[in-house]
Amino acid sequence: MSGNEEPILMKDNSLTDSLPFVKLKRWKWWLLVAINIVFLLVGQAASVLLGRFYYDKGGNSTWLATLLQTAAFPILFIPYVFIGSSRTTSNTVNPPSLLTVCSIYFVFGAITAGDNMLYSVGLLYLSASTYSLICAMQLAFNAVFSFFINHQKFTALIFNSVVVLTLSACLLAVNGESTEPSGVSKGKYVIGFVATLGASVLYSLLLSLMQLSFQKVLKKETFSVVLEMQIYTSLVATCISTIGLFASGQWRTLHGEMNNFGTGRLSYVMTVVWTAVCWQICGIGVVGLIFVVSSLFSNVISTLSLAITPIAALIVFHDKMNGVKIIATLMALWGFTSYIYQNYVDDIKARKSRANAEGDTNDSLC
């Protein structure tokens, strides 16, 4: 979060009072943050690795892979049922119309479907480690979009993060040694690289637009509202992905895919199911961090997951970590560290400003 953005819990008193977790003790709040971080890290890393496993063992339907990223959204109704009653009446003078809200969900859902498709193409043609490191650029793109769309400050540390992450991805782009799965040509590797890069840009734009919609239209970042955003945009994305699956004719190949899957039919079914579930575990972590901290912090942790996934890929798939890829990994971690330190500095400033403001208010009352 930049200098002019405070964490969700500290934006204003009216919003703070409406959040159900505000009155928790500090250690309980940090425990909640830690749990959501684990959900995001484990869910995202497992989803990427399972997606790579699906392709490696004979799966080749990019539309199915796209569909799996949102298809398990009904799971989110479970936490929604428990917290739905905690929603408070909005203080917005002119609440948005139903048509406006539905339009937002539809547009964001369509963008999500296109973004997921690009990610699926990228994962088809790239190794899990290369794919994850390119995706790490989403943090840099998010900083740029936040500057222009959300009017956030572009500090030296964030600029350093943008440059370092950009150079990290460029190193991967020119590195042709052991970067693509077996049987993937150089041309397809380039397609995968461009698709993943485009997906990172689109995802970063989506985050900034979502933040803008919360601030200017929905104007209430309660957990229920964020869950509604996640559920309904996923519903739209799932419908679009399903249409794409049938319109492309890839649905006809799914039965043969299952029969010819490298590790058997049961393994195919379990891979598909757990990929969808893991994406939703990741989604719960993302939503949870947006609620208890901020959307930008959620993106930072997501980028951290992308940076450490190559280590998991090395263990699971025995991806080769040549010298260039090791340097790119270290640069990605360096870029992440710069960004997280900027968040730490801004958090300290926000706390001091809030404490000074409360002190001035108490003095005036006296």
Side-chain angles (χ1 to χ4, degrees), residues 182-352:
S182 59
V184 174
S185 64
K186 190 66 177 180
K188 290 182 177 180
Y189 170 77
V190 173
I191 292 175
F193 180 88
V194 173
T196 307
L197 193 63
S200 298
V201 174
L202 201 57
Y203 178 74
S204 301
L205 176 62
L206 180 63
L207 284 184
S208 293
L209 291 177
M210 282 186 173
Q211 180 178 337
L212 184 66
S213 69
F214 279 128
Q215 294 173 343
K216 302 299 183 180
V217 182
L218 302 178
K219 298 180 181 180
K220 203 169 185 64
E221 295 182 47
T222 65
F223 198 51
S224 294
V225 171
V226 175
L227 269 182
E228 288 170 3
M229 173 75 77
Q230 179 77 5
I231 290 171
Y232 294 126
T233 55
S234 295
L235 172 62
V236 173
T238 299
C239 292
I240 293 176
S241 300
T242 302
I243 293 173
L245 178 65
F246 282 91
S248 65
Q250 290 186 11
W251 66 275
R252 297 188 183 94
T253 67
L254 297 183
H255 187 267
E257 243 184 40
M258 181 172 61
N259 290 331
N260 299 321
F261 199 64
T263 53
R265 298 178 62 178
L266 178 61
S267 176
Y268 178 85
V269 174
M270 296 300 293
T271 299
V272 168
V273 170
W274 281 108
T275 299
V277 171
C278 286
W279 275 121
Q280 289 311 311
I281 292 175
C282 173
I284 291 174
V286 171
V287 171
L289 289 177
I290 289 174
F291 177 55
V292 298
V293 189
S294 72
S295 59
L296 283 180
F297 184 81
S298 179
N299 193 22
V300 168
I301 302 302
S302 179
T303 305
L304 174 61
S305 175
L306 294 170
I308 65 176
T309 297
I311 300 175
L314 176 66
I315 298 173
V316 177
F317 295 119
H318 307 291
D319 280 2
K320 295 182 179 180
M321 292 293 286
N322 56 35
V324 174
K325 191 175 292 186
I326 292 174
I327 293 174
T329 302
L330 294 176
M331 293 181 69
L333 291 173
W334 178 13
F336 161 77
T337 302
S338 297
Y339 204 96
I340 198 67
Y341 182 71
Q342 181 65 59
N343 277 259
Y344 171 76
V345 171
D346 291 338
D347 183 45
I348 295 298
K349 290 181 179 179
R351 291 179 184 278
K352 289 183 179 179

Side-chain angles (χ1 to χ4, degrees), residues 107-183:
V107 172
F108 288 171
I111 294 175
T112 299
D115 187 50
N116 291 344
M117 181 60 180
L118 289 174
Y119 276 128
S120 298
V121 172
L123 193 56
L124 174 62
Y125 296 137
L126 300 176
S127 66
S129 55
T130 302
Y131 166 88
S132 299
L133 288 169
I134 297 173
C135 288
M137 283 196 67
Q138 71 188 34
L139 186 59
F141 292 127
N142 188 75
V144 175
F145 286 125
S146 294
F147 175 78
F148 289 104
I149 297 176
N150 307 120
H151 306 292
Q152 294 170 352
K153 294 181 181 179
F154 207 87
T155 66
L157 285 172
I158 293 179
F159 179 76
N160 174 72
S161 176
V162 171
V163 172
V164 172
L165 287 169
T166 301
L167 291 176
S168 173
C170 289
L171 280 176
L172 293 171
V174 300
N175 176 39
E177 178 186 354
S178 303
T179 53
E180 64 274 4
S182 59

